[in-house]
Amino acid sequence: MALQGSQKLPFWADAVLLPFLNLLAAFAVSGLVILLLGEDPLEALSIMFEGAFGYDEAIGYTFYYATNFIFTGLAVAVAFHAGQFNIGGEGQAMIGGVGLTLAVFAFGTTAPLLAVLLAVAGAAVFGAVWAYVPAYLQAKRGSHIVITTIMFNFIASAVLAYLLVGPLQRPGGQMPESADFPDGVRLTHLHEILNTVGIGFEESPMNVSLLIALICAFGVWFLLYRTRFGYELRVSGANQNTAAFAGINVPRMTIYAMMLSGALAGMMGLNELLGEQLRLLGNFTLGYGFVGIAVAFMGRNHPVGIVLAAVLFGALYQGGAELAFEMPAISRDLIVLVQGLVILFAGAMEHMFRTPVERFFHMLSIKRAD
Amino acid sequence: MDWLIDSVLLVDSTFRVGAPLVLAALAGLVAERAGIVDIGLEGKMLAAAFAAAATAAITGSPWAGLIAGITASVLIALLHGFVSITQRGNQIVSGMALNIAVAGLAPTLANFWFSQGGQTPLLNDTERFTAITLPFAESLNSVPVLGHVYSDIISGHTVITYIAAFAVPFTAWMLYKTRFGLRLRAVGENPEAVDTAGISVQRLRYYAVMIGGVLCGLAGAALSTGLGAAFIRDMSAGKGYLALAAMIFGKWKPVPTLLACLLFAFVEALQGRLQGVDLPIVGEIPVQFTMMLPYVLTVIILAGFVGKIQAPKASGIPYGKGE
């Protein structure tokens, strides 16, 4: 280990300052685009902020979106810690949604509570199985996981489309969607719970899956940093040769990590389908699987960071919807651009800010030593 | 003669669908041979498709569109180069980020300029690249078999398809017969050696991503002003990733890559023809299953036929002096 203590950043700079600078850069470029579209970037920012946090319903929506991003962000991070880049969150979420729906229709009318529990398990298991194939191919056959997971997104989307115009389509329906879930088979909205305990909160789609997502975040943290399994997983990701030398079965670790990742991505459907839509929809994933990449990078692949980044992206979605409504020149596509820029600055252009900040802190420490 | 006409049409559409795929795959090949992984082919194609269609719609000239498309694609290639060469960032993340950013930016600008829900206006035949009829194609049409091959398969494509056909031998020549190509390949295998020889690793890699940008620009323009007649949201539809898979299947060599692209294009052309057709034994295949054919094929090929393969050694690894 080289002694680079003087170069190392204080924790807060690494965890707060750098992500903030990355975000600022992404916002600055987006601001230029907004300017190009003939709108006032500062006004746009204030509309977005107000639209995301200004009132109960907005907050509810922000956390509703954030729930999706916690699941998909955790999914990307778990794979990343094992040295794998899972771009297949989108497909895993779709197939997870299928597993959830099958459980709901199998037990929903006879035992609603059992159906909900099995739906949670079904989403996770189906997502894990969908991730297993690319993981196996990567571990045993050396197929490029980035490409196979992308292919599996396309395949999942075709499978879902087939099911929703075929076996799972609403009887007599024309839209690509399943029949409604049986009564009572759903995750309760949080505003209902809050109202029951006497806290007034406006109606919003925020539901119990937010709590499940937070439990998952804690679980991932515990697994990664407090168990032998997590340690071995991270070692495999950091250096395959070292890991193999230490007696860790790296291919098996790759497969476990990817399946865990797929399970987390698969659970995204809990929020969308079991929390709000109460039926299986074509393309219900809406790119949330890809946003997970941005969330994971923004959150430095740490569960706490991911929860915070997920809230940020939730706000971006909810605020962005308000923005598209208030400023007609701006469409929701702009939010996709902002996400891309956040991934670019937070994930790929890290050094751009890290190096100057490190120099700055290095200078400070020299001055202090004088 | 029905089957003959059918297969002629199938081969014809294979070439048509294959052209953008070939150009994009060559782009990925040149970049990766120089050590830069380019998963952003998709984004560059999409940006070029938008710039080409928008410019062609405004100026009325497909050639102006083509230049705009190439320019847009090269600019993004330079950005990817800046991130992965100068900043030494994660190349896969950069490519992915650029894909997402363009998927958002292109419809935003399209909506702002044309107010058609994120599309560009429909181009008429003078504003896009239409089929070129080669000399004697009409008169040879009556000659059996050979006439069909010449007039229906070889003749009647857009100029970009012919450029794509030309680009394969040209890329092979450049990579294997020129000094530039030798250095380019060296920089993807052993950048230290190139550096020691006093040649700039960074500059060579920038050239490589720019060549990739030009090729992706052609591919994107082919989508919106050749195959199609407007820019449509997400119109690259995974072609950039398929191209990357074809490049891996082709083991980073131009001719095998071309063959892999043609295979993918053939499957895509085939799935178009299979829709709603009653096959013996299996019956009618649901359209969703024929649609997933190219993707399933990709996975099978990557898993079974290629197996463990050797990418250029320095591919994806940022190079810094003295490390």
Side-chain angles (χ1 to χ4, degrees):
Chain A
M1 282 282 166
L3 280 175
Q4 288 187 322
S6 61
Q7 290 279 320
K8 210 167 176 297
L9 289 178
F11 175 73
W12 69 269
D14 199 34
V16 181
L17 183 64
L18 279 176
F20 177 74
L21 288 175
N22 292 327
L23 193 67
L24 205 66
F27 271 21
V29 176
S30 315
L32 285 177
V33 175
I34 292 175
L35 211 57
L36 184 78
L37 300 178
E39 298 282 1
D40 178 358
L42 288 178
E43 196 193 333
L45 194 64
S46 93
I47 292 175
M48 279 179 76
F49 190 79
E50 175 70 19
F53 296 112
Y55 43 99
D56 278 2
E57 196 193 352
I59 296 171
Y61 267 97
T62 294
F63 279 95
Y64 168 66
Y65 290 124
T67 307
N68 294 333
F69 302 141
I70 296 175
F71 283 123
T72 56
L74 288 173
V76 173
V78 167
F80 198 82
H81 277 290
Q84 302 302 324
F85 199 25
N86 181 13
I87 305 191
E90 196 75 0
Q92 288 142 19
M94 285 180 200
I95 299 300
V98 172
L100 177 154
T101 306
L102 292 179
V104 167
F105 284 125
F107 297 95
T109 42
T110 45
L113 187 67
L114 178 70
V116 171
L117 290 175
L118 285 176
V120 176
V125 169
F126 273 57
V129 168
W130 200 249
Y132 170 78
V133 187
Y136 174 84
L137 294 176
Q138 156 87 28
K140 307 280 179 175
R141 310 276 321 178
S143 314
H144 201 307
I145 203 157
V146 170
I147 294 180
T148 43
T149 50
I150 289 170
M151 294 301 137
F152 266 65
N153 287 340
F154 289 116
I155 298 171
S157 154
V159 168
L160 186 62
Y162 167 71
L163 291 174
L164 287 178
V165 296
L168 280 179
Q169 189 171 38
R170 179 193 300 271
Q174 294 296 318
M175 300 285 288
E177 57 180 36
S178 76
D180 289 334
F181 292 172
D183 277 341
V185 184
R186 65 184 187 101
L187 294 169
T188 317
H189 282 158
L190 284 184
H191 66 86
E192 293 168 32
I193 297 177
L194 287 171
N195 289 347
T196 341
V197 296
I199 304 169
F201 197 89
E202 282 170 56
E203 223 171 279
S204 83
M206 178 173 58
N207 60 73
V208 171
S209 48
L210 173 62
L211 305 179
I212 300 177
L214 292 173
I215 293 169
C216 285
F218 177 79
V220 166
W221 170 81
F222 189 82
L223 188 75
L224 283 179
Y225 299 103
R226 286 290 178 274
T227 66
R228 185 195 166 98
F229 174 81
Y231 181 74
E232 291 187 355
L233 189 150
R234 287 184 292 130
V235 173
S236 317
N239 189 331
Q240 295 210 346
N241 294 335
T242 311
F245 193 66
I248 297 170
N249 186 337
V250 178
R252 194 162 62 195
M253 264 327 188
T254 300
I255 292 178
Y256 285 164
M258 277 298 290
M259 286 181 78
L260 189 58
S261 173
L264 287 162
M267 286 167 81
M268 198 209 91
L270 296 180
N271 186 45
E272 284 290 322
L273 304 175
L274 206 55
E276 179 61 15
Q277 304 291 350
L278 303 182
R279 61 190 194 280
L280 182 62
L281 293 166
N283 286 334
F284 70 93
T285 54
L286 289 172
Y288 297 137
F290 290 119
V291 183
I293 301 166
V295 172
F297 274 104
M298 194 75 210
R300 291 280 185 272
N301 290 306
H302 190 284
V304 175
I306 287 167
V307 170
L308 294 175
V311 173
L312 173 83
F313 274 83
L316 211 57
Y317 259 65
Q318 168 55 17
E322 291 289 308
L323 184 63
F325 184 70
E326 297 274 334
M327 289 184 166
I330 293 172
S331 66
R332 291 201 68 168
D333 295 309
L334 189 75
I335 303 307
V336 179
L337 170 70
V338 178
Q339 285 161 18
L341 292 171
V342 171
I343 302 180
L344 189 69
F345 283 106
M349 293 176 77
E350 246 215 336
H351 294 294
M352 192 163 164
F353 296 106
R354 182 176 290 275
T355 314
V357 168
E358 274 177 355
R359 259 187 220 139
F360 178 73
F361 275 93
H362 187 56
M363 230 168 61
L364 278 186
S365 64
I366 290 173
K367 268 208 183 119
R368 223 172 279 150
D370 281 345
Chain B
M1 286 300 270
D2 248 12
W3 64 270
L4 179 67
I5 295 170
D6 266 0
S7 41
V8 163
L9 286 176
L10 198 56
V11 175
D12 180 57
S13 45
T14 298
F15 285 143
R16 200 152 13 91
V17 179
L21 211 53
V22 170
L23 289 163
L26 288 176
L29 189 150
V30 171
E32 197 146 338
R33 267 308 179 84
I36 301 293
V37 172
D38 195 353
I39 205 168
L41 300 173
E42 187 84 2
K44 286 202 280 282
M45 279 167 89
L46 203 59
F50 166 69
T55 310
I58 293 167
T59 62
S61 156
W63 293 100
L66 181 63
I67 291 168
I70 291 176
T71 309
S73 172
V74 168
L75 285 176
I76 294 176
L78 284 173
L79 185 55
H80 182 60
F82 176 71
V83 174
S84 41
I85 302 167
T86 306
Q87 293 284 328
R88 293 160 56 202
N90 183 323
Q91 299 172 10
I92 290 183
V93 177
S94 164
M96 199 66 211
L98 290 171
N99 287 347
I100 294 174
V102 172
L105 181 62
T108 303
L109 291 178
N111 202 37
F112 177 64
W113 279 322
F114 304 107
S115 318
Q116 295 188 3
Q119 305 194 0
T120 60
L122 211 60
L123 302 170
N124 61 40
D125 276 354
T126 59
E127 294 166 342
R128 58 190 280 259
F129 291 108
T130 47
I132 298 170
T133 308
L134 293 181
F136 311 118
E138 310 268 327
S139 49
L140 281 174
N141 202 7
S142 51
V143 181
V145 187
L146 212 67
H148 274 302
V149 170
Y150 183 73
S151 58
D152 292 334
I153 296 180
I154 298 179
S155 171
H157 290 286
T158 68
V159 64
I160 300 181
T161 306
Y162 294 117
I163 295 177
F166 174 72
V168 179
F170 180 78
T171 307
W173 171 79
M174 184 200 74
L175 279 177
Y176 297 109
K177 299 287 178 205
T178 65
R179 195 164 63 168
F180 174 73
L182 176 70
R183 289 176 174 175
L184 201 72
R185 284 183 292 136
V187 106
E189 295 287 343
N190 192 344
E192 289 82 5
V194 175
D195 200 4
T196 315
I199 302 160
S200 167
V201 172
Q202 298 214 336
R203 190 181 308 160
L204 271 169
R205 287 188 166 175
Y206 267 110
Y207 286 151
V209 293
M210 279 165 70
I211 294 171
V214 173
L215 290 166
C216 275
L218 284 160
L223 289 182
S224 64
T225 61
L227 281 174
F231 166 81
I232 303 163
R233 193 185 295 261
D234 298 324
M235 76 181 306
S236 48
K239 283 201 172 55
Y241 302 118
L242 275 183
L244 218 53
M247 174 200 80
I248 295 174
F249 185 31
K251 305 198 173 191
W252 290 267
K253 294 191 179 85
V255 175
T257 299
L258 166 74
L259 296 178
C261 287
L262 289 180
L263 178 66
F264 285 146
F266 177 75
V267 175
E268 200 173 327
L270 189 67
Q271 66 102 342
R273 309 226 88 209
L274 277 180
Q275 284 180 19
V277 177
D278 237 339
L279 291 178
I281 308 167
V282 283
E284 190 182 320
I285 304 172
V287 55
Q288 291 82 14
F289 284 97
T290 58
M291 267 168 56
M292 66 167 90
L293 266 179
Y295 311 120
V296 173
L297 185 72
T298 307
V299 173
I300 293 172
I301 284 172
L302 289 183
F305 292 91
V306 188
K308 291 221 186 272
I309 29 166
Q310 202 56 58
K313 277 199 192 63
S315 181
I317 305 163
Y319 180 72
K321 273 179 192 268
E323 278 188 14

